[in-house]
Amino acid sequence: MHQHQHSGIIEILLGSLADTYLMIPVLFVLYFLLEYFSHTKQLDLISKLKISGPLGPLAGTLLGIIPQCGMSIFVTTMFLSRRVTLGTLVATYLATSDEALPVLIAHRGEEMMILYIVGLKLLIGVISGYAVDFLFNKKLYAGLSPEVKSSHAVEIKHELEKTKYGEIAFHTLKRTLRIYFWVLTITIAISFVLFFSDSGQLEQLIQAHPNIQIVVAAVIGLIPNCAASIAIAEAFLHTGLSIGATIAGLSTGAGFGPIVLFKDGKVGAAAQILLICLTVSIIWGYLVNYLVKIIS
């Protein structure tokens, strides 16, 4: 029995490595292109989107879709300086998926599902952003414009500046290895759970409680760490996590934006904004699952 478990553990480790190592070149290319765009074209895009005007929630959604946590930081700093509305900030947060999209893209064969998720996130961000602006009368940040202290907010300035290809490649490599480490770690953890339990019963248990899934995934998504979005993406691919729960979890995951919101803004206001995002994400999660059930 002990020998069987030992060989099983080795198989899990080797299997997890075999299932994921081909992601490394895909992630590197994706992140290099994103870094290049960030340092060369992003300021032009931001200026053209006119995020401070009536198209704010739409612009915020489009920025949030870009797999760069810097976008949520950028919009957060604009909100704290009263240049964008609450609806624009909420739209950006809901559209952000942190590192989930590059991870899903690196898992080949998931192209259609990625399109569905991006489409849903666009819809959720735009509708929710304008709804929040309507309900709160295009509310701006109520506190004094704070001095930007967060290191994450300072880093976004560097990300928007032009830099050399060597620096872009080095930063891309670091990001690729960091994300791959989390993907490998979470894949191993899921494999261990499936190995030491009845995988069929586990999937039945997850699928038997779709409502609880949505709430749990949405709460996990609030964790401001790439591991949360990667865990949700991997759970969706490997454990039967519903599309509604996946959307809810990826909608609450807003990168490092909330950290800047809490650190540089008023704590009470930041908590209320995240509560709005959590509530909206859960509602959309239920709605998506309901629509999928009707369609299927």
Side-chain angles (χ1 to χ4, degrees):
M1 179 69 177
H2 179 74
Q3 187 176 2
H4 170 69
Q5 285 190 346
H6 181 71
S7 62
I9 290 171
I10 293 175
E11 285 180 15
I12 287 172
L13 296 175
L14 293 177
S16 297
L17 192 62
D19 289 341
T20 58
Y21 80 94
L22 289 175
M23 296 175 65
I24 295 175
V26 178
L27 287 172
F28 182 84
V29 171
L30 282 171
Y31 286 137
F32 184 87
L33 293 174
L34 286 169
E35 288 285 329
Y36 175 77
F37 170 80
S38 175
H39 288 286
T40 57
K41 304 294 183 183
Q42 204 155 273
L43 277 177
D44 293 337
L45 175 64
I46 290 168
S47 62
K48 287 177 182 177
L49 284 175
K50 297 179 181 178
I51 192 169
S52 298
L55 295 178
L58 173 61
T61 300
L62 293 174
L63 289 176
I65 287 292
I66 300 170
Q68 285 272 50
C69 60
M71 288 298 91
S72 67
I73 297 172
F74 172 76
V75 178
T76 299
T77 57
M78 290 194 72
F79 174 73
L80 292 175
S81 59
R82 293 195 291 277
R83 285 183 284 174
V84 300
T85 64
L86 175 61
T88 299
L89 181 68
V90 169
T92 306
Y93 281 8
L94 294 176
T96 301
S97 298
D98 205 6
E99 305 292 352
L101 288 183
V103 169
L104 288 172
I105 291 170
H107 282 283
R108 296 164 193 178
E110 299 296 332
E111 291 80 9
M112 286 306 299
M113 188 52 64
I114 292 166
L115 289 176
Y116 288 142
I117 290 174
V118 170
L120 284 169
K121 297 277 280 180
L122 281 168
L123 188 70
I124 289 168
V126 172
I127 292 176
S128 302
Y130 280 109
V132 167
D133 268 352
F134 176 76
L135 292 173
F136 291 90
N137 196 25
K138 295 186 178 179
K139 182 178 180 181
L140 297 172
Y141 178 63
L144 296 173
S145 295
E147 178 187 353
V148 176
K149 299 170 288 185
S150 171
S151 59
H152 297 297
V154 173
E155 284 173 10
I156 190 63
K157 180 179 181 297
H158 172 68
E159 285 191 12
L160 294 175
E161 294 173 346
K162 291 187 177 182
T163 189
K164 296 178 181 178
Y165 285 108
E167 291 180 22
I168 294 176
F170 180 68
H171 190 267
T172 298
L173 180 61
K174 286 202 307 181
R175 186 178 180 187
T176 298
L177 293 177
R178 176 172 60 87
I179 298 306
Y180 177 70
F181 166 78
W182 282 113
V183 170
L184 180 61
T185 301
I186 291 167
T187 300
I188 291 171
I190 291 173
S191 298
F192 270 114
V193 171
L194 294 176
F195 179 76
F196 288 105
S197 63
D198 188 324
S199 59
Q201 283 188 349
L202 182 63
E203 287 192 22
Q204 286 178 2
L205 180 65
I206 291 173
Q207 294 168 4
H209 300 283
N211 294 336
I212 297 176
Q213 273 188 42
I214 291 169
V215 176
V216 172
V219 172
I220 290 174
L222 287 173
I223 300 171
N225 188 294
C226 62
S229 61
I230 293 171
I232 291 168
E234 292 291 331
F236 171 67
L237 292 172
H238 301 299
T239 69
L241 188 70
S242 70
I243 182 64
T246 303
I247 289 295
L250 295 183
S251 295
T252 54
F256 293 128
I259 294 178
V260 177
L261 190 63
F262 271 97
K263 189 168 183 180
D264 294 341
K266 293 163 65 176
V267 173
Q272 288 175 3
I273 291 168
L274 288 192
L275 183 59
I276 290 172
C277 291
L278 177 63
T279 303
V280 171
S281 298
I282 290 172
I283 291 171
W284 276 107
Y286 284 130
L287 183 59
V288 168
N289 269 0
Y290 177 72
L291 292 175
V292 169
K293 190 176 180 180
I294 290 177
I295 294 170
S296 59

